[in-house]
Coordinates of all heavy atoms in Angstrom, one line a residue:
M1 N 50.4 -4.0 19.1 CA 50.7 -2.6 18.7 C 50.5 -2.5 17.2 O 51.1 -3.3 16.4 CB 52.1 -2.3 19.1 CG 52.5 -0.9 18.6 SD 54.2 -0.6 19.2 CE 54.4 1.1 18.8
T2 N 49.8 -1.5 16.7 CA 49.6 -1.3 15.3 C 49.9 0.1 15.0 O 49.5 1.0 15.7 CB 48.1 -1.6 14.9 OG1 47.9 -3.0 15.2 CG2 47.9 -1.4 13.4
R3 N 50.7 0.4 13.9 CA 51.0 1.7 13.5 C 50.9 1.8 12.0 O 51.0 0.8 11.3 CB 52.4 2.1 13.8 CG 52.7 2.1 15.3 CD 53.9 2.6 15.7 NE 53.9 4.0 15.2 CZ 54.9 4.9 15.5 NH1 55.8 4.6 16.3 NH2 54.8 6.1 15.0
T4 N 50.6 3.0 11.5 CA 50.5 3.1 10.0 C 51.8 3.7 9.5 O 52.3 4.7 9.9 CB 49.3 4.1 9.7 OG1 48.1 3.6 10.2 CG2 49.2 4.3 8.2
L5 N 52.4 2.9 8.5 CA 53.6 3.3 7.9 C 53.3 3.3 6.4 O 52.8 2.3 5.9 CB 54.7 2.3 8.2 CG 55.1 2.2 9.7 CD1 56.1 1.0 9.9 CD2 55.6 3.5 10.3
R6 N 53.7 4.4 5.7 CA 53.5 4.5 4.3 C 52.1 4.2 3.9 O 51.8 3.4 3.0 CB 54.5 3.6 3.5 CG 55.9 4.0 3.7 CD 56.8 3.2 2.7 NE 58.1 3.6 2.9 CZ 59.1 3.3 2.1 NH1 58.9 2.5 1.1 NH2 60.3 3.7 2.4
H7 N 51.2 4.7 4.7 CA 49.7 4.6 4.4 C 49.2 3.1 4.4 O 48.2 2.8 3.8 CB 49.4 5.3 3.1 CG 50.0 6.6 3.0 ND1 49.5 7.7 3.7 CD2 51.0 7.1 2.3 CE1 50.2 8.7 3.5 NE2 51.1 8.5 2.6
A8 N 49.9 2.3 5.1 CA 49.4 0.9 5.3 C 49.6 0.5 6.8 O 50.6 0.9 7.4 CB 50.2 -0.1 4.4
A9 N 48.7 -0.2 7.3 CA 48.7 -0.6 8.7 C 49.6 -1.9 8.9 O 49.4 -2.8 8.1 CB 47.3 -0.9 9.2
W10 N 50.4 -1.9 9.9 CA 51.2 -3.0 10.2 C 51.0 -3.3 11.7 O 50.7 -2.5 12.5 CB 52.7 -2.7 10.0 CG 53.0 -2.6 8.5 CD1 52.9 -1.4 7.8 CD2 53.5 -3.6 7.6 NE1 53.3 -1.7 6.5 CE2 53.7 -3.0 6.4 CE3 53.8 -4.9 7.8 CZ2 54.1 -3.7 5.3 CZ3 54.3 -5.6 6.7 CH2 54.4 -5.0 5.5
T11 N 51.3 -4.6 12.0 CA 51.2 -5.0 13.4 C 52.6 -5.7 13.8 O 53.2 -6.2 12.9 CB 50.0 -5.8 13.7 OG1 49.9 -6.1 15.1 CG2 50.1 -7.1 12.9
I12 N 53.0 -5.7 15.0 CA 54.2 -6.3 15.4 C 53.8 -7.3 16.6 O 53.0 -7.0 17.4 CB 55.3 -5.4 15.8 CG1 56.6 -6.1 16.1 CG2 54.9 -4.5 17.1 CD1 57.8 -5.2 16.1
G13 N 54.5 -8.5 16.6 CA 54.2 -9.5 17.6 C 55.2 -10.6 17.5 O 56.3 -10.5 16.8
A14 N 55.0 -11.6 18.2 CA 55.9 -12.8 18.2 C 56.1 -13.3 16.8 O 55.2 -13.3 16.0 CB 55.3 -13.9 19.1
D15 N 57.3 -13.7 16.5 CA 57.7 -14.1 15.2 C 57.1 -15.5 15.0 O 57.6 -16.5 15.6 CB 59.2 -14.1 15.0 CG 59.6 -14.4 13.6 OD1 58.8 -15.0 12.8 OD2 60.7 -14.0 13.2
R16 N 56.1 -15.7 14.2 CA 55.4 -17.0 13.9 C 56.3 -17.9 13.1 O 56.2 -19.1 13.1 CB 54.1 -16.8 13.3 CG 53.1 -16.0 14.2 CD 51.7 -15.9 13.6 NE 51.7 -15.2 12.3 CZ 51.1 -14.0 12.2 NH1 50.6 -13.4 13.2 NH2 51.1 -13.4 11.0
E17 N 57.2 -17.3 12.3 CA 58.1 -18.0 11.5 C 59.4 -18.5 12.2 O 60.0 -19.4 11.7 CB 58.5 -17.2 10.2 CG 57.3 -16.8 9.4 CD 57.5 -15.6 8.5 OE1 58.7 -15.6 7.9 OE2 56.6 -14.8 8.2
D18 N 59.7 -17.9 13.2 CA 60.9 -18.3 14.0 C 60.6 -18.1 15.5 O 61.1 -17.2 16.2 CB 62.1 -17.4 13.6 CG 63.4 -17.8 14.2 OD1 63.4 -18.9 14.9 OD2 64.4 -17.1 14.1
P19 N 59.8 -19.0 16.0 CA 59.2 -18.8 17.4 C 60.2 -19.3 18.5 O 59.8 -20.1 19.3 CB 57.9 -19.6 17.3 CG 58.3 -20.7 16.4 CD 59.2 -20.2 15.4
A20 N 61.4 -18.8 18.5 CA 62.4 -19.2 19.5 C 61.9 -18.7 20.9 O 61.2 -17.6 21.0 CB 63.7 -18.6 19.2
P21 N 62.1 -19.5 21.9 CA 61.7 -19.0 23.2 C 62.4 -17.7 23.6 O 63.6 -17.6 23.3 CB 62.0 -20.2 24.2 CG 63.0 -21.0 23.4 CD 62.8 -20.7 22.0
S22 N 61.7 -16.9 24.4 CA 62.4 -15.7 24.9 C 63.5 -16.0 25.8 O 63.4 -17.0 26.6 CB 61.4 -14.8 25.6 OG 60.3 -14.5 24.8
A23 N 64.6 -15.3 25.8 CA 65.7 -15.4 26.7 C 65.6 -14.3 27.7 O 65.3 -13.1 27.4 CB 67.0 -15.5 26.0
R24 N 66.0 -14.5 28.9 CA 65.9 -13.5 30.0 C 67.3 -13.4 30.6 O 68.0 -14.4 30.9 CB 64.9 -14.0 31.0 CG 64.7 -13.0 32.2 CD 63.6 -13.6 33.1 NE 63.3 -12.7 34.2 CZ 63.9 -12.8 35.4 NH1 64.8 -13.7 35.7 NH2 63.5 -11.9 36.3
F25 N 67.8 -12.2 30.9 CA 69.0 -11.9 31.6 C 68.7 -11.0 32.7 O 67.7 -10.3 32.7 CB 70.0 -11.2 30.7 CG 70.3 -11.8 29.4 CD1 69.5 -11.7 28.3 CD2 71.5 -12.5 29.2 CE1 69.8 -12.3 27.1 CE2 71.8 -13.0 28.0 CZ 71.0 -13.0 26.9
I26 N 69.6 -11.0 33.7 CA 69.6 -10.0 34.7 C 70.9 -9.3 34.7 O 72.0 -9.9 34.7 CB 69.2 -10.5 36.1 CG1 67.8 -11.0 36.1 CG2 69.5 -9.5 37.2 CD1 67.3 -11.5 37.5
L27 N 70.9 -8.0 34.7 CA 72.1 -7.2 34.7 C 72.2 -6.4 36.0 O 71.3 -5.8 36.4 CB 72.1 -6.2 33.5 CG 73.2 -5.1 33.5 CD1 74.5 -5.8 33.0 CD2 72.8 -4.0 32.5
C28 N 73.4 -6.5 36.7 CA 73.6 -5.7 37.9 C 73.9 -4.3 37.5 O 74.8 -4.1 36.7 CB 74.8 -6.3 38.6 SG 75.2 -5.3 40.1
R29 N 73.1 -3.4 38.0 CA 73.3 -1.9 37.6 C 74.4 -1.3 38.4 O 74.9 -0.2 38.1 CB 72.0 -1.2 37.9 CG 70.9 -1.5 36.9 CD 69.7 -0.7 37.0 NE 69.0 -1.0 38.2 CZ 68.4 0.0 39.0 NH1 68.5 1.3 38.6 NH2 67.8 -0.4 40.1
D30 N 74.9 -2.0 39.4 CA 76.1 -1.5 40.2 C 77.4 -1.8 39.5 O 78.3 -0.9 39.5 CB 76.1 -2.0 41.6 CG 74.9 -1.5 42.4 OD1 74.5 -0.4 42.2 OD2 74.4 -2.3 43.2
C31 N 77.6 -3.0 38.9 CA 78.8 -3.3 38.3 C 78.7 -3.9 36.9 O 79.7 -4.2 36.3 CB 79.5 -4.4 39.2 SG 78.8 -6.0 39.1
E32 N 77.5 -3.9 36.3 CA 77.2 -4.4 35.0 C 77.6 -5.8 34.7 O 77.7 -6.2 33.5 CB 77.9 -3.4 34.0 CG 77.5 -2.0 34.2 CD 77.4 -1.1 33.0 OE1 77.8 -1.6 31.9 OE2 76.8 0.0 33.1
T33 N 77.7 -6.6 35.7 CA 77.9 -8.0 35.6 C 76.5 -8.6 35.1 O 75.5 -8.1 35.6 CB 78.3 -8.7 36.9 OG1 79.6 -8.1 37.2 CG2 78.5 -10.2 36.7
Q34 N 76.5 -9.6 34.3 CA 75.3 -10.1 33.7 C 75.1 -11.6 34.0 O 76.1 -12.3 33.9 CB 75.3 -9.8 32.3 CG 74.1 -10.3 31.5 CD 74.2 -9.9 30.0 OE1 74.3 -8.7 29.7 NE2 74.3 -10.8 29.2
S35 N 73.9 -12.0 34.3 CA 73.7 -13.5 34.4 C 73.8 -14.2 33.1 O 73.8 -13.6 32.0 CB 72.2 -13.7 35.0 OG 71.3 -13.4 34.0
E36 N 73.8 -15.5 33.1 CA 73.7 -16.2 31.9 C 72.3 -16.2 31.4 O 71.4 -16.0 32.2 CB 74.1 -17.7 32.2 CG 75.5 -18.0 32.5 CD 76.4 -17.6 31.3 OE1 76.1 -18.0 30.1 OE2 77.5 -17.0 31.5
P37 N 72.0 -16.3 30.1 CA 70.6 -16.3 29.6 C 69.9 -17.5 30.1 O 70.4 -18.6 30.2 CB 70.7 -16.2 28.1 CG 72.0 -16.8 27.8 CD 73.0 -16.5 29.0
S38 N 68.6 -17.4 30.2 CA 67.7 -18.5 30.6 C 66.3 -18.3 30.0 O 65.9 -17.1 29.9 CB 67.6 -18.6 32.1 OG 66.8 -19.7 32.4
T39 N 65.7 -19.4 29.7 CA 64.3 -19.2 29.2 C 63.3 -19.3 30.3 O 62.1 -19.2 30.1 CB 64.0 -20.4 28.2 OG1 64.2 -21.6 28.8 CG2 64.8 -20.2 26.9
S40 N 63.8 -19.5 31.6 CA 62.9 -19.4 32.7 C 63.5 -18.4 33.7 O 64.6 -18.1 33.7 CB 62.7 -20.8 33.3 OG 64.0 -21.3 33.8
Q41 N 62.6 -18.0 34.6 CA 63.0 -17.0 35.6 C 63.8 -17.4 36.7 O 64.7 -16.7 37.2 CB 61.7 -16.4 36.1 CG 61.9 -15.1 37.0 CD 60.6 -14.4 37.3 OE1 59.6 -14.7 36.8 NE2 60.7 -13.4 38.2
A42 N 63.7 -18.6 37.2 CA 64.3 -19.1 38.4 C 65.9 -19.0 38.4 O 66.5 -18.5 39.3 CB 63.9 -20.4 38.8
P43 N 66.5 -19.5 37.3 CA 68.0 -19.4 37.3 C 68.5 -18.0 37.4 O 69.5 -17.7 38.0 CB 68.3 -20.1 36.0 CG 67.2 -21.0 35.6 CD 66.0 -20.2 36.2
T44 N 67.9 -17.1 36.6 CA 68.4 -15.7 36.7 C 68.1 -15.0 38.0 O 69.0 -14.2 38.5 CB 67.8 -14.9 35.5 OG1 66.4 -15.0 35.5 CG2 68.3 -15.4 34.2
D45 N 67.0 -15.3 38.6 CA 66.7 -14.8 39.9 C 67.7 -15.3 41.0 O 68.2 -14.6 41.8 CB 65.3 -15.2 40.4 CG 64.2 -14.3 39.7 OD1 64.6 -13.4 39.0 OD2 63.0 -14.6 40.0
R46 N 68.0 -16.6 40.9 CA 69.0 -17.2 41.8 C 70.4 -16.5 41.6 O 71.1 -16.3 42.6 CB 69.2 -18.7 41.6 CG 68.1 -19.5 42.2 CD 68.4 -21.0 42.3 NE 68.6 -21.6 41.0 CZ 67.6 -22.1 40.3 NH1 66.4 -22.2 40.7 NH2 67.9 -22.7 39.1
W47 N 70.7 -16.2 40.4 CA 72.0 -15.6 40.1 C 72.0 -14.2 40.8 O 73.0 -13.9 41.4 CB 72.2 -15.4 38.5 CG 73.4 -14.6 38.3 CD1 74.7 -15.0 38.1 CD2 73.5 -13.2 38.1 NE1 75.6 -14.0 37.9 CE2 74.9 -12.8 37.9 CE3 72.6 -12.1 38.2 CZ2 75.3 -11.5 37.8 CZ3 73.0 -10.8 38.0 CH2 74.3 -10.5 37.8
A48 N 71.0 -13.5 40.6 CA 70.9 -12.1 41.3 C 71.0 -12.2 42.8 O 71.7 -11.4 43.4 CB 69.7 -11.4 40.8
L49 N 70.3 -13.2 43.4 CA 70.3 -13.3 44.8 C 71.7 -13.7 45.3 O 72.2 -13.2 46.3 CB 69.3 -14.3 45.3 CG 67.8 -13.9 45.0 CD1 66.9 -15.1 45.3 CD2 67.4 -12.7 45.8
K50 N 72.4 -14.6 44.6 CA 73.7 -15.0 44.9 C 74.7 -13.8 44.7 O 75.6 -13.6 45.6 CB 74.2 -16.1 44.0 CG 75.6 -16.6 44.3 CD 75.9 -17.8 43.3 CE 77.4 -18.2 43.6 NZ 77.9 -19.1 42.6
H51 N 74.5 -13.0 43.6 CA 75.3 -11.9 43.4 C 75.2 -10.8 44.5 O 76.2 -10.3 45.0 CB 75.0 -11.2 42.0 CG 75.9 -10.2 41.6 ND1 77.2 -10.4 41.1 CD2 75.7 -8.8 41.5 CE1 77.8 -9.2 40.8 NE2 76.9 -8.3 41.1
T52 N 74.0 -10.7 45.0 CA 73.8 -9.7 46.1 C 74.5 -10.3 47.4 O 75.2 -9.5 48.1 CB 72.3 -9.6 46.5 OG1 71.7 -8.9 45.4 CG2 72.1 -8.8 47.7
G53 N 74.5 -11.6 47.6 CA 75.2 -12.1 48.8 C 76.7 -12.0 48.7 O 77.3 -11.8 49.7
E54 N 77.2 -12.1 47.4 CA 78.6 -12.0 47.3 C 79.2 -10.6 47.2 O 80.3 -10.3 47.5 CB 79.0 -12.7 46.0 CG 78.8 -14.2 46.0 CD 79.0 -14.9 44.7 OE1 79.1 -14.2 43.6 OE2 79.0 -16.1 44.7
T55 N 78.3 -9.6 46.7 CA 78.9 -8.3 46.5 C 78.1 -7.2 47.3 O 78.7 -6.1 47.4 CB 78.7 -7.9 45.0 OG1 77.3 -7.9 44.7 CG2 79.4 -8.9 44.1
G56 N 76.9 -7.4 47.7 CA 76.1 -6.4 48.4 C 75.4 -5.5 47.4 O 74.7 -4.6 47.8
H57 N 75.6 -5.8 46.1 CA 74.9 -5.0 45.1 C 73.4 -5.4 45.1 O 73.0 -6.6 45.1 CB 75.5 -5.3 43.7 CG 76.9 -4.9 43.5 ND1 77.8 -5.3 42.5 CD2 77.7 -4.1 44.4 CE1 79.0 -4.8 42.7 NE2 78.9 -4.1 43.8
R58 N 72.5 -4.4 44.9 CA 71.1 -4.6 45.0 C 70.3 -4.0 43.9 O 69.1 -4.1 43.9 CB 70.6 -4.1 46.4 CG 71.3 -4.8 47.5 CD 71.0 -4.2 48.9 NE 69.5 -4.3 49.1 CZ 68.9 -3.7 50.1 NH1 69.6 -3.0 51.0 NH2 67.6 -3.9 50.3
A59 N 70.9 -3.4 42.9 CA 70.1 -2.8 41.8 C 70.3 -3.6 40.6 O 71.4 -3.8 40.1 CB 70.6 -1.3 41.6
Y60 N 69.2 -4.0 40.0 CA 69.3 -4.9 38.8 C 68.4 -4.4 37.7 O 67.5 -3.6 37.9 CB 68.9 -6.3 39.2 CG 69.9 -7.0 40.1 CD1 69.7 -6.9 41.5 CD2 71.0 -7.6 39.7 CE1 70.6 -7.4 42.4 CE2 71.9 -8.2 40.5 CZ 71.8 -8.1 41.9 OH 72.7 -8.6 42.7
R61 N 68.6 -4.9 36.5 CA 67.8 -4.6 35.3 C 67.5 -6.0 34.7 O 68.4 -6.7 34.4 CB 68.5 -3.7 34.4 CG 67.7 -3.4 33.1 CD 68.3 -2.3 32.2 NE 68.3 -1.0 33.0 CZ 69.4 -0.3 33.2 NH1 70.6 -0.7 32.7 NH2 69.3 0.8 33.9
E62 N 66.2 -6.2 34.4 CA 65.8 -7.4 33.6 C 65.9 -7.1 32.1 O 65.3 -6.1 31.7 CB 64.4 -7.8 34.1 CG 63.9 -9.1 33.3 CD 62.5 -9.4 33.8 OE1 61.7 -8.6 33.7 OE2 62.3 -10.6 34.1
L63 N 66.5 -8.0 31.4 CA 66.5 -7.9 29.9 C 65.9 -9.1 29.3 O 66.3 -10.2 29.7 CB 68.0 -7.7 29.4 CG 68.8 -6.6 30.1 CD1 70.3 -6.8 29.8 CD2 68.3 -5.3 29.7
V64 N 65.0 -8.9 28.4 CA 64.3 -10.0 27.7 C 64.6 -9.8 26.2 O 64.4 -8.8 25.7 CB 62.8 -10.0 28.0 CG1 62.2 -11.1 27.2 CG2 62.6 -10.2 29.5
I65 N 65.0 -10.9 25.6 CA 65.2 -11.0 24.1 C 64.2 -11.9 23.6 O 64.1 -13.1 24.0 CB 66.6 -11.4 23.8 CG1 67.6 -10.4 24.4 CG2 66.8 -11.6 22.3 CD1 69.1 -10.8 24.2
A66 N 63.4 -11.4 22.6 CA 62.4 -12.3 22.0 C 62.4 -11.9 20.5 O 62.6 -10.8 20.1 CB 61.0 -12.0 22.6
N67 N 62.1 -12.9 19.7 CA 62.0 -12.7 18.2 C 60.7 -12.1 18.0 O 59.6 -12.6 18.3 CB 62.2 -14.0 17.5 CG 63.6 -14.6 17.5 OD1 64.5 -13.9 17.9 ND2 63.7 -15.8 17.1
L68 N 60.7 -10.9 17.3 CA 59.5 -10.2 16.9 C 59.5 -10.1 15.3 O 60.6 -10.1 14.7 CB 59.4 -8.8 17.5 CG 59.4 -8.8 19.0 CD1 59.4 -7.3 19.5 CD2 58.3 -9.5 19.6
R69 N 58.3 -9.9 14.8 CA 58.2 -9.7 13.3 C 57.0 -8.8 13.1 O 56.0 -8.9 13.8 CB 58.0 -11.0 12.6 CG 58.0 -10.9 11.1 CD 57.9 -12.3 10.4 NE 59.1 -13.1 10.7 CZ 60.2 -13.1 9.9 NH1 60.2 -12.3 8.8 NH2 61.2 -13.9 10.2
T70 N 57.1 -8.0 12.1 CA 56.0 -7.2 11.7 C 55.1 -8.0 10.7 O 55.7 -8.7 9.9 CB 56.4 -5.8 11.1 OG1 57.3 -6.1 10.0 CG2 57.1 -5.0 12.1
Y71 N 53.8 -7.7 10.7 CA 52.9 -8.4 9.8 C 51.9 -7.3 9.3 O 51.6 -6.4 10.0 CB 52.1 -9.5 10.6 CG 53.0 -10.6 11.0 CD1 53.4 -10.6 12.3 CD2 53.3 -11.6 10.2 CE1 54.3 -11.6 12.8 CE2 54.1 -12.7 10.6 CZ 54.6 -12.7 11.9 OH 55.4 -13.7 12.3
P72 N 51.4 -7.5 8.1 CA 50.4 -6.6 7.6 C 49.2 -6.7 8.5 O 48.7 -7.8 8.7 CB 50.1 -7.1 6.1 CG 51.3 -7.9 5.8 CD 51.8 -8.5 7.1
A73 N 48.6 -5.6 8.8 CA 47.4 -5.6 9.7 C 46.2 -5.6 8.8 O 46.3 -5.5 7.5 CB 47.4 -4.3 10.6
A74 N 45.0 -5.7 9.4 CA 43.8 -5.7 8.6 C 43.7 -4.4 7.8 O 44.0 -3.3 8.2 CB 42.6 -5.8 9.6
G75 N 43.4 -4.6 6.5 CA 43.3 -3.5 5.6 C 44.5 -3.2 4.8 O 44.5 -2.5 3.9
N76 N 45.7 -3.8 5.2 CA 46.9 -3.6 4.5 C 46.8 -4.4 3.2 O 46.5 -5.6 3.3 CB 48.1 -4.1 5.4 CG 49.5 -3.8 4.7 OD1 49.6 -4.1 3.6 ND2 50.4 -3.4 5.5
P77 N 47.2 -3.9 2.1 CA 47.1 -4.7 0.8 C 47.9 -5.9 0.8 O 47.6 -6.9 0.1 CB 47.6 -3.7 -0.2 CG 47.5 -2.3 0.4 CD 47.5 -2.5 1.9
L78 N 48.9 -6.0 1.7 CA 49.8 -7.2 1.7 C 49.2 -8.3 2.6 O 49.7 -9.4 2.6 CB 51.2 -6.8 2.3 CG 52.0 -5.9 1.4 CD1 53.3 -5.5 2.1 CD2 52.2 -6.5 0.0
E79 N 48.1 -7.9 3.4 CA 47.6 -8.9 4.3 C 47.2 -10.2 3.6 O 47.6 -11.3 4.0 CB 46.4 -8.3 5.0 CG 45.8 -9.3 6.0 CD 44.5 -8.8 6.6 OE1 43.8 -7.9 6.0 OE2 44.1 -9.3 7.7
Q80 N 46.5 -10.1 2.5 CA 46.0 -11.3 1.8 C 47.2 -12.1 1.2 O 47.2 -13.3 1.4 CB 45.1 -11.0 0.7 CG 44.4 -12.2 0.0 CD 43.6 -13.1 1.0 OE1 42.9 -12.6 1.8 NE2 43.9 -14.4 1.0
S81 N 48.2 -11.5 0.7 CA 49.3 -12.2 0.1 C 50.1 -12.9 1.2 O 50.6 -14.0 0.9 CB 50.2 -11.3 -0.7 OG 50.8 -10.3 0.2
E82 N 50.2 -12.4 2.4 CA 50.9 -13.1 3.5 C 50.1 -14.3 3.9 O 50.7 -15.3 4.3 CB 51.1 -12.2 4.7 CG 52.2 -11.1 4.3 CD 53.4 -11.1 5.2 OE1 53.3 -11.7 6.3 OE2 54.4 -10.6 4.8
E83 N 48.8 -14.3 3.9 CA 48.0 -15.4 4.3 C 48.2 -16.6 3.3 O 47.9 -17.7 3.6 CB 46.5 -15.0 4.4 CG 46.3 -14.1 5.6 CD 44.8 -13.6 5.6 OE1 44.0 -14.0 4.8 OE2 44.5 -12.9 6.6
D84 N 48.5 -16.2 2.1 CA 48.7 -17.2 1.0 C 50.0 -18.0 1.2 O 50.2 -19.1 0.6 CB 48.7 -16.6 -0.4 CG 47.3 -16.0 -0.7 OD1 46.3 -16.4 -0.1 OD2 47.2 -15.2 -1.6
W85 N 50.9 -17.6 2.0 CA 52.2 -18.2 2.2 C 52.0 -19.5 2.9 O 51.4 -19.8 3.7 CB 53.2 -17.4 3.0 CG 53.7 -16.2 2.1 CD1 53.1 -15.6 1.1 CD2 55.0 -15.6 2.3 NE1 53.9 -14.6 0.6 CE2 55.0 -14.6 1.3 CE3 56.0 -15.7 3.2 CZ2 56.1 -13.7 1.2 CZ3 57.1 -14.9 3.1 CH2 57.1 -13.9 2.1
Ligands
LIG1 ZN1 77.2 -6.2 40.8

């Protein structure tokens, strides 16, 4: 995704300086109970299936947390200075 802010183009994406793995949660929309975070899908899916078995709740929301950072896009005067880092 690229947008122009203050007449300069920026892009946003995965944080190359702090590339922590994404964490995934599942939130029950019926009671707002939440799974433990996981970097893989299987544990949170198992949590939701178990929660359904225990409560009968069937509506969930997936939440993903990932480190993002903005970077100067092509043509942004800061682009060259960031490459020098
Ligand atoms: Zn629930």
Side-chain angles (χ1 to χ4, degrees):
M1 175 181 189
T2 301
R3 299 191 58 169
T4 300
L5 302 173
R6 293 188 182 193
H7 310 289
W10 291 85
T11 186
I12 189 166
D15 189 339
R16 299 186 296 253
E17 298 165 34
D18 187 7
S22 299
R24 180 177 186 266
F25 304 81
I26 291 183
L27 174 72
C28 175
R29 290 186 290 140
D30 291 325
C31 72
E32 305 214 349
T33 301
Q34 179 178 299
S35 72
E36 291 294 319
S38 178
T39 56
S40 62
Q41 186 170 352
T44 53
D45 283 356
R46 278 195 301 271
W47 174 86
L49 296 170
K50 182 179 177 193
H51 188 72
T52 292
E54 294 172 349
T55 65
H57 297 165
R58 298 174 62 188
Y60 294 93
R61 179 172 295 127
E62 179 182 51
L63 306 167
V64 177
I65 297 174
N67 289 348
L68 302 177
R69 184 175 295 270
T70 56
Y71 296 96
N76 185 317
L78 297 175
E79 180 186 22
Q80 186 59 45
S81 64
E82 292 240 337
E83 290 176 0
D84 294 340
W85 286 27

